[in-house]
Short mmCIF file of all heavy atoms in Angstrom, two decimals:
data_model
loop_
_atom_site.label_atom_id
_atom_site.label_comp_id
_atom_site.label_asym_id
_atom_site.label_seq_id
_atom_site.Cartn_x
_atom_site.Cartn_y
_atom_site.Cartn_z
N MET B 84 2.54 -46.70 -41.25
CA MET B 84 2.48 -46.91 -39.81
C MET B 84 1.95 -48.30 -39.52
O MET B 84 1.34 -48.94 -40.34
CB MET B 84 1.54 -45.89 -39.16
CG MET B 84 2.01 -44.49 -39.08
SD MET B 84 0.86 -43.48 -38.26
CE MET B 84 1.66 -41.91 -38.26
N THR B 85 2.20 -48.78 -38.26
CA THR B 85 1.50 -50.00 -37.85
C THR B 85 0.04 -49.66 -37.59
O THR B 85 -0.33 -48.50 -37.40
CB THR B 85 2.10 -50.58 -36.56
OG1 THR B 85 1.91 -49.65 -35.51
CG2 THR B 85 3.60 -50.83 -36.75
N VAL B 86 -0.80 -50.73 -37.51
CA VAL B 86 -2.22 -50.50 -37.32
C VAL B 86 -2.49 -49.77 -36.01
O VAL B 86 -3.26 -48.81 -35.93
CB VAL B 86 -2.98 -51.87 -37.27
CG1 VAL B 86 -4.48 -51.65 -37.06
CG2 VAL B 86 -2.74 -52.60 -38.57
N SER B 87 -1.80 -50.25 -34.95
CA SER B 87 -1.99 -49.67 -33.64
C SER B 87 -1.62 -48.19 -33.60
O SER B 87 -2.37 -47.35 -33.13
CB SER B 87 -1.19 -50.47 -32.61
OG SER B 87 -1.16 -49.82 -31.40
N GLU B 88 -0.50 -47.87 -34.24
CA GLU B 88 -0.03 -46.45 -34.29
C GLU B 88 -1.02 -45.59 -35.09
O GLU B 88 -1.39 -44.50 -34.61
CB GLU B 88 1.30 -46.38 -35.00
CG GLU B 88 2.49 -46.50 -34.10
CD GLU B 88 3.77 -46.50 -34.92
OE1 GLU B 88 3.68 -46.56 -36.19
OE2 GLU B 88 4.84 -46.46 -34.32
N ALA B 89 -1.44 -46.12 -36.22
CA ALA B 89 -2.33 -45.34 -37.09
C ALA B 89 -3.61 -45.02 -36.36
O ALA B 89 -4.10 -43.86 -36.38
CB ALA B 89 -2.62 -46.14 -38.37
N PHE B 90 -4.17 -46.01 -35.67
CA PHE B 90 -5.40 -45.81 -34.92
C PHE B 90 -5.18 -44.76 -33.79
O PHE B 90 -6.00 -43.91 -33.52
CB PHE B 90 -5.93 -47.10 -34.32
CG PHE B 90 -6.96 -47.73 -35.21
CD1 PHE B 90 -6.64 -48.77 -36.08
CD2 PHE B 90 -8.29 -47.30 -35.20
CE1 PHE B 90 -7.59 -49.35 -36.90
CE2 PHE B 90 -9.22 -47.86 -35.98
CZ PHE B 90 -8.88 -48.89 -36.83
N ARG B 91 -4.02 -44.93 -33.11
CA ARG B 91 -3.75 -44.03 -31.97
C ARG B 91 -3.73 -42.56 -32.42
O ARG B 91 -4.42 -41.72 -31.83
CB ARG B 91 -2.45 -44.41 -31.26
CG ARG B 91 -2.21 -43.61 -30.02
CD ARG B 91 -1.14 -44.23 -29.16
NE ARG B 91 -1.49 -45.55 -28.66
CZ ARG B 91 -0.80 -46.63 -28.85
NH1 ARG B 91 0.36 -46.55 -29.48
NH2 ARG B 91 -1.18 -47.77 -28.38
N VAL B 92 -2.99 -42.32 -33.51
CA VAL B 92 -2.85 -40.93 -34.01
C VAL B 92 -4.25 -40.42 -34.44
O VAL B 92 -4.65 -39.31 -34.07
CB VAL B 92 -1.93 -40.92 -35.22
CG1 VAL B 92 -1.94 -39.56 -35.87
CG2 VAL B 92 -0.50 -41.27 -34.76
N SER B 93 -4.99 -41.27 -35.17
CA SER B 93 -6.29 -40.80 -35.71
C SER B 93 -7.31 -40.60 -34.58
O SER B 93 -8.12 -39.65 -34.62
CB SER B 93 -6.84 -41.78 -36.71
OG SER B 93 -5.85 -42.12 -37.61
N LEU B 94 -7.24 -41.46 -33.57
CA LEU B 94 -8.20 -41.32 -32.48
C LEU B 94 -7.98 -40.09 -31.64
O LEU B 94 -8.90 -39.45 -31.19
CB LEU B 94 -8.15 -42.61 -31.55
CG LEU B 94 -8.82 -43.83 -32.12
CD1 LEU B 94 -8.53 -45.05 -31.27
CD2 LEU B 94 -10.32 -43.60 -32.25
N VAL B 95 -6.71 -39.76 -31.47
CA VAL B 95 -6.40 -38.50 -30.74
C VAL B 95 -6.98 -37.31 -31.48
O VAL B 95 -7.60 -36.42 -30.89
CB VAL B 95 -4.86 -38.33 -30.56
CG1 VAL B 95 -4.52 -36.89 -30.12
CG2 VAL B 95 -4.34 -39.33 -29.55
N ARG B 96 -6.84 -37.34 -32.82
CA ARG B 96 -7.42 -36.24 -33.60
C ARG B 96 -8.93 -36.25 -33.53
O ARG B 96 -9.57 -35.21 -33.47
CB ARG B 96 -7.00 -36.34 -35.06
CG ARG B 96 -5.64 -35.74 -35.27
CD ARG B 96 -5.24 -35.76 -36.70
NE ARG B 96 -5.91 -34.75 -37.45
CZ ARG B 96 -5.71 -34.50 -38.78
NH1 ARG B 96 -4.83 -35.26 -39.40
NH2 ARG B 96 -6.34 -33.60 -39.40
N LEU B 97 -9.55 -37.45 -33.51
CA LEU B 97 -10.98 -37.56 -33.46
C LEU B 97 -11.50 -36.97 -32.15
O LEU B 97 -12.51 -36.29 -32.15
CB LEU B 97 -11.39 -39.05 -33.57
CG LEU B 97 -12.90 -39.32 -33.47
CD1 LEU B 97 -13.62 -38.83 -34.70
CD2 LEU B 97 -13.19 -40.80 -33.26
N VAL B 98 -10.80 -37.30 -31.04
CA VAL B 98 -11.26 -36.74 -29.71
C VAL B 98 -11.22 -35.22 -29.79
O VAL B 98 -12.09 -34.53 -29.24
CB VAL B 98 -10.38 -37.32 -28.61
CG1 VAL B 98 -10.64 -36.55 -27.30
CG2 VAL B 98 -10.63 -38.76 -28.38
N GLY B 99 -10.15 -34.66 -30.42
CA GLY B 99 -10.05 -33.22 -30.50
C GLY B 99 -11.20 -32.59 -31.36
O GLY B 99 -11.65 -31.49 -31.03
N GLU B 100 -11.64 -33.31 -32.39
CA GLU B 100 -12.58 -32.70 -33.31
C GLU B 100 -14.03 -32.96 -32.97
O GLU B 100 -14.91 -32.25 -33.40
CB GLU B 100 -12.32 -33.25 -34.72
CG GLU B 100 -11.06 -32.73 -35.36
CD GLU B 100 -10.67 -33.53 -36.58
OE1 GLU B 100 -11.37 -34.50 -36.94
OE2 GLU B 100 -9.65 -33.21 -37.18
N SER B 101 -14.30 -34.03 -32.21
CA SER B 101 -15.73 -34.39 -32.01
C SER B 101 -16.04 -34.27 -30.50
O SER B 101 -15.24 -33.85 -29.73
CB SER B 101 -15.95 -35.83 -32.46
OG SER B 101 -15.28 -36.72 -31.60
N ALA B 102 -17.31 -34.69 -30.22
CA ALA B 102 -17.76 -34.59 -28.84
C ALA B 102 -17.40 -35.88 -28.10
O ALA B 102 -17.75 -36.01 -26.91
CB ALA B 102 -19.27 -34.42 -28.80
N LEU B 103 -16.74 -36.79 -28.72
CA LEU B 103 -16.40 -38.06 -28.07
C LEU B 103 -15.28 -37.84 -27.07
O LEU B 103 -14.49 -36.91 -27.17
CB LEU B 103 -15.89 -39.05 -29.12
CG LEU B 103 -16.95 -39.44 -30.16
CD1 LEU B 103 -16.31 -40.24 -31.28
CD2 LEU B 103 -18.01 -40.34 -29.54
N GLN B 104 -15.24 -38.71 -26.06
CA GLN B 104 -14.19 -38.61 -25.04
C GLN B 104 -13.18 -39.68 -25.23
O GLN B 104 -13.39 -40.68 -25.93
CB GLN B 104 -14.85 -38.74 -23.66
CG GLN B 104 -15.74 -37.60 -23.35
CD GLN B 104 -16.65 -37.88 -22.18
OE1 GLN B 104 -16.57 -38.93 -21.55
NE2 GLN B 104 -17.49 -36.91 -21.86
N SER B 105 -11.99 -39.47 -24.63
CA SER B 105 -10.90 -40.47 -24.87
C SER B 105 -11.28 -41.83 -24.32
O SER B 105 -10.76 -42.84 -24.80
CB SER B 105 -9.60 -39.95 -24.23
OG SER B 105 -9.80 -39.60 -22.92
N ALA B 106 -12.16 -41.88 -23.31
CA ALA B 106 -12.59 -43.18 -22.77
C ALA B 106 -13.34 -43.97 -23.85
O ALA B 106 -13.22 -45.20 -23.91
CB ALA B 106 -13.46 -42.95 -21.56
N ASP B 107 -14.11 -43.26 -24.72
CA ASP B 107 -14.84 -43.93 -25.77
C ASP B 107 -13.90 -44.57 -26.77
O ASP B 107 -14.17 -45.64 -27.34
CB ASP B 107 -15.77 -42.93 -26.52
CG ASP B 107 -16.66 -42.19 -25.56
OD1 ASP B 107 -16.97 -42.77 -24.49
OD2 ASP B 107 -17.02 -41.05 -25.85
N CYS B 108 -12.79 -43.85 -27.01
CA CYS B 108 -11.90 -44.31 -28.02
C CYS B 108 -10.99 -45.45 -27.55
O CYS B 108 -10.37 -46.15 -28.35
CB CYS B 108 -11.06 -43.13 -28.52
SG CYS B 108 -12.01 -41.88 -29.32
N GLU B 109 -10.92 -45.64 -26.26
CA GLU B 109 -10.05 -46.70 -25.75
C GLU B 109 -10.56 -48.06 -26.23
O GLU B 109 -9.78 -48.99 -26.46
CB GLU B 109 -10.02 -46.68 -24.23
CG GLU B 109 -8.86 -45.88 -23.69
CD GLU B 109 -8.98 -45.59 -22.22
OE1 GLU B 109 -9.63 -46.40 -21.52
OE2 GLU B 109 -8.51 -44.54 -21.78
N ALA B 110 -11.90 -48.21 -26.33
CA ALA B 110 -12.47 -49.44 -26.85
C ALA B 110 -12.00 -49.74 -28.26
O ALA B 110 -11.58 -50.84 -28.56
CB ALA B 110 -14.00 -49.33 -26.83
N ILE B 111 -12.03 -48.69 -29.10
CA ILE B 111 -11.56 -48.84 -30.49
C ILE B 111 -10.11 -49.18 -30.51
O ILE B 111 -9.62 -50.02 -31.26
CB ILE B 111 -11.81 -47.55 -31.27
CG1 ILE B 111 -13.26 -47.09 -31.12
CG2 ILE B 111 -11.43 -47.76 -32.74
CD1 ILE B 111 -14.14 -47.51 -32.16
N GLN B 112 -9.34 -48.50 -29.59
CA GLN B 112 -7.88 -48.72 -29.55
C GLN B 112 -7.55 -50.15 -29.20
O GLN B 112 -6.65 -50.74 -29.74
CB GLN B 112 -7.29 -47.72 -28.58
CG GLN B 112 -5.74 -47.77 -28.55
CD GLN B 112 -5.13 -47.33 -29.84
OE1 GLN B 112 -5.52 -46.34 -30.43
NE2 GLN B 112 -4.21 -48.17 -30.36
N SER B 113 -8.32 -50.70 -28.28
CA SER B 113 -8.03 -52.11 -27.89
C SER B 113 -8.28 -53.05 -29.00
O SER B 113 -7.55 -54.02 -29.20
CB SER B 113 -8.85 -52.48 -26.69
OG SER B 113 -10.23 -52.61 -27.03
N VAL B 114 -9.32 -52.75 -29.81
CA VAL B 114 -9.58 -53.59 -31.04
C VAL B 114 -8.40 -53.42 -31.97
O VAL B 114 -7.88 -54.39 -32.53
CB VAL B 114 -10.90 -53.19 -31.71
CG1 VAL B 114 -11.00 -53.87 -33.01
CG2 VAL B 114 -12.05 -53.55 -30.83
N ALA B 115 -7.98 -52.16 -32.17
CA ALA B 115 -6.90 -51.89 -33.11
C ALA B 115 -5.62 -52.58 -32.71
O ALA B 115 -4.88 -53.12 -33.57
CB ALA B 115 -6.70 -50.40 -33.19
N ASP B 116 -5.35 -52.59 -31.39
CA ASP B 116 -4.13 -53.26 -30.91
C ASP B 116 -4.16 -54.76 -31.22
O ASP B 116 -3.09 -55.32 -31.48
CB ASP B 116 -3.99 -53.07 -29.39
CG ASP B 116 -3.63 -51.62 -29.07
OD1 ASP B 116 -3.16 -50.90 -29.97
OD2 ASP B 116 -3.84 -51.21 -27.91
N SER B 117 -5.35 -55.34 -31.20
CA SER B 117 -5.37 -56.80 -31.40
C SER B 117 -5.65 -57.17 -32.86
O SER B 117 -5.57 -58.34 -33.22
CB SER B 117 -6.47 -57.39 -30.53
OG SER B 117 -7.69 -56.71 -30.73
N LEU B 118 -5.92 -56.17 -33.73
CA LEU B 118 -6.26 -56.47 -35.13
C LEU B 118 -5.15 -57.21 -35.86
O LEU B 118 -5.41 -58.15 -36.61
CB LEU B 118 -6.55 -55.15 -35.90
CG LEU B 118 -8.03 -54.79 -36.07
CD1 LEU B 118 -8.13 -53.46 -36.77
CD2 LEU B 118 -8.79 -55.83 -36.83
N SER B 119 -3.92 -56.81 -35.59
CA SER B 119 -2.82 -57.40 -36.34
C SER B 119 -2.19 -58.61 -35.59
O SER B 119 -1.33 -59.31 -36.16
CB SER B 119 -1.75 -56.37 -36.61
OG SER B 119 -1.42 -55.75 -35.41
N THR B 120 -2.63 -58.85 -34.33
CA THR B 120 -1.93 -59.92 -33.60
C THR B 120 -2.82 -61.11 -33.28
O THR B 120 -2.30 -62.19 -32.96
CB THR B 120 -1.44 -59.37 -32.22
OG1 THR B 120 -2.51 -58.71 -31.56
CG2 THR B 120 -0.32 -58.36 -32.48
N MET B 121 -4.15 -61.01 -33.43
CA MET B 121 -5.00 -62.12 -32.98
C MET B 121 -5.69 -62.77 -34.17
O MET B 121 -5.87 -62.16 -35.20
CB MET B 121 -6.01 -61.60 -31.98
CG MET B 121 -5.43 -61.19 -30.66
SD MET B 121 -6.70 -60.82 -29.50
CE MET B 121 -5.68 -60.36 -28.09
N ASP B 122 -6.16 -63.98 -33.94
CA ASP B 122 -6.91 -64.66 -34.98
C ASP B 122 -8.39 -64.33 -34.85
O ASP B 122 -8.80 -63.60 -33.96
CB ASP B 122 -6.68 -66.18 -34.92
CG ASP B 122 -7.25 -66.78 -33.66
OD1 ASP B 122 -7.62 -66.00 -32.77
OD2 ASP B 122 -7.36 -68.04 -33.58
N VAL B 123 -9.19 -64.88 -35.76
CA VAL B 123 -10.57 -64.40 -35.93
C VAL B 123 -11.42 -64.65 -34.67
O VAL B 123 -12.14 -63.77 -34.26
CB VAL B 123 -11.21 -65.09 -37.15
CG1 VAL B 123 -12.67 -64.71 -37.24
CG2 VAL B 123 -10.48 -64.73 -38.41
N THR B 124 -11.21 -65.78 -34.00
CA THR B 124 -12.04 -66.05 -32.84
C THR B 124 -11.76 -65.06 -31.72
O THR B 124 -12.66 -64.57 -31.06
CB THR B 124 -11.80 -67.48 -32.31
OG1 THR B 124 -10.47 -67.80 -32.47
CG2 THR B 124 -12.69 -68.47 -33.03
N HIS B 125 -10.46 -64.76 -31.51
CA HIS B 125 -10.12 -63.79 -30.47
C HIS B 125 -10.59 -62.41 -30.87
O HIS B 125 -11.01 -61.62 -30.02
CB HIS B 125 -8.61 -63.81 -30.21
CG HIS B 125 -8.18 -65.01 -29.43
ND1 HIS B 125 -7.63 -66.12 -30.03
CD2 HIS B 125 -8.28 -65.27 -28.09
CE1 HIS B 125 -7.37 -67.03 -29.08
NE2 HIS B 125 -7.78 -66.55 -27.91
N LEU B 126 -10.44 -62.09 -32.13
CA LEU B 126 -10.91 -60.80 -32.59
C LEU B 126 -12.37 -60.60 -32.35
O LEU B 126 -12.84 -59.52 -31.96
CB LEU B 126 -10.67 -60.67 -34.11
CG LEU B 126 -9.37 -59.98 -34.51
CD1 LEU B 126 -9.32 -59.86 -36.03
CD2 LEU B 126 -9.27 -58.58 -33.93
N GLN B 127 -13.14 -61.70 -32.53
CA GLN B 127 -14.56 -61.62 -32.30
C GLN B 127 -14.90 -61.17 -30.89
O GLN B 127 -15.71 -60.26 -30.69
CB GLN B 127 -15.19 -62.98 -32.55
CG GLN B 127 -16.66 -62.90 -32.88
CD GLN B 127 -17.12 -64.17 -33.60
OE1 GLN B 127 -16.43 -65.23 -33.45
NE2 GLN B 127 -18.17 -64.10 -34.32
N THR B 128 -14.21 -61.77 -29.89
CA THR B 128 -14.45 -61.33 -28.52
C THR B 128 -14.00 -59.88 -28.29
O THR B 128 -14.69 -59.17 -27.58
CB THR B 128 -13.71 -62.24 -27.52
OG1 THR B 128 -12.32 -62.28 -27.85
CG2 THR B 128 -14.29 -63.62 -27.48
N GLN B 129 -12.89 -59.50 -28.91
CA GLN B 129 -12.45 -58.12 -28.78
C GLN B 129 -13.50 -57.15 -29.31
O GLN B 129 -13.85 -56.16 -28.68
CB GLN B 129 -11.15 -57.90 -29.56
CG GLN B 129 -9.92 -58.42 -28.86
CD GLN B 129 -9.60 -57.64 -27.59
OE1 GLN B 129 -9.87 -56.46 -27.55
NE2 GLN B 129 -9.04 -58.29 -26.57
N PHE B 130 -14.01 -57.47 -30.52
CA PHE B 130 -15.09 -56.65 -31.13
C PHE B 130 -16.32 -56.58 -30.19
O PHE B 130 -16.86 -55.53 -30.04
CB PHE B 130 -15.44 -57.17 -32.47
CG PHE B 130 -14.68 -56.58 -33.63
CD1 PHE B 130 -13.78 -57.36 -34.32
CD2 PHE B 130 -14.81 -55.24 -33.96
CE1 PHE B 130 -13.03 -56.81 -35.37
CE2 PHE B 130 -14.06 -54.67 -34.98
CZ PHE B 130 -13.16 -55.48 -35.68
N GLN B 131 -16.68 -57.76 -29.69
CA GLN B 131 -17.86 -57.79 -28.82
C GLN B 131 -17.70 -56.88 -27.62
O GLN B 131 -18.59 -56.12 -27.25
CB GLN B 131 -18.20 -59.24 -28.35
CG GLN B 131 -18.70 -60.16 -29.43
CD GLN B 131 -19.91 -59.62 -30.12
OE1 GLN B 131 -20.67 -58.84 -29.56
NE2 GLN B 131 -20.11 -59.98 -31.39
N MET B 132 -16.50 -56.98 -27.00
CA MET B 132 -16.24 -56.21 -25.81
C MET B 132 -16.29 -54.74 -26.11
O MET B 132 -16.85 -53.93 -25.38
CB MET B 132 -14.88 -56.56 -25.20
CG MET B 132 -14.93 -57.71 -24.21
SD MET B 132 -13.35 -58.47 -23.98
CE MET B 132 -12.42 -57.09 -23.30
N ALA B 133 -15.61 -54.35 -27.25
CA ALA B 133 -15.61 -52.96 -27.60
C ALA B 133 -17.03 -52.43 -27.90
O ALA B 133 -17.39 -51.32 -27.45
CB ALA B 133 -14.74 -52.74 -28.87
N LEU B 134 -17.83 -53.22 -28.60
CA LEU B 134 -19.19 -52.80 -28.93
C LEU B 134 -20.02 -52.66 -27.70
O LEU B 134 -20.81 -51.70 -27.54
CB LEU B 134 -19.83 -53.80 -29.87
CG LEU B 134 -19.37 -53.71 -31.38
CD1 LEU B 134 -19.92 -54.90 -32.16
CD2 LEU B 134 -19.86 -52.45 -31.94
N GLU B 135 -19.80 -53.58 -26.76
CA GLU B 135 -20.56 -53.53 -25.49
C GLU B 135 -20.22 -52.27 -24.73
O GLU B 135 -21.11 -51.56 -24.25
CB GLU B 135 -20.23 -54.79 -24.64
CG GLU B 135 -21.05 -54.96 -23.43
CD GLU B 135 -22.54 -54.97 -23.72
OE1 GLU B 135 -22.95 -55.59 -24.72
OE2 GLU B 135 -23.29 -54.32 -22.96
N ALA B 136 -18.91 -51.95 -24.68
CA ALA B 136 -18.50 -50.73 -23.97
C ALA B 136 -19.08 -49.50 -24.61
O ALA B 136 -19.58 -48.58 -23.94
CB ALA B 136 -16.95 -50.66 -23.97
N LEU B 137 -19.06 -49.51 -25.97
CA LEU B 137 -19.58 -48.33 -26.69
C LEU B 137 -21.09 -48.21 -26.46
O LEU B 137 -21.62 -47.08 -26.30
CB LEU B 137 -19.30 -48.45 -28.17
CG LEU B 137 -17.87 -48.08 -28.54
CD1 LEU B 137 -17.68 -48.29 -30.04
CD2 LEU B 137 -17.52 -46.67 -28.18
#
Side-chain angles (χ1 to χ4, degrees):
Chain B
M84 288 183 178
T85 64
V86 179
S87 171
E88 270 176 353
F90 265 98
R91 186 164 296 124
V92 172
S93 314
L94 283 172
V95 167
R96 278 184 77 177
L97 178 71
V98 170
E100 287 166 359
S101 69
L103 296 169
Q104 294 165 0
S105 52
D107 306 332
C108 295
E109 267 166 31
I111 309 266
Q112 185 64 48
S113 71
V114 171
D116 289 340
S117 51
L118 261 178
S119 50
T120 53
M121 291 186 180
D122 67 349
V123 176
T124 37
H125 285 99
L126 265 182
Q127 203 161 21
T128 54
Q129 282 292 330
F130 269 112
Q131 289 306 332
M132 272 160 61
L134 282 172
E135 188 55 42
L137 282 178

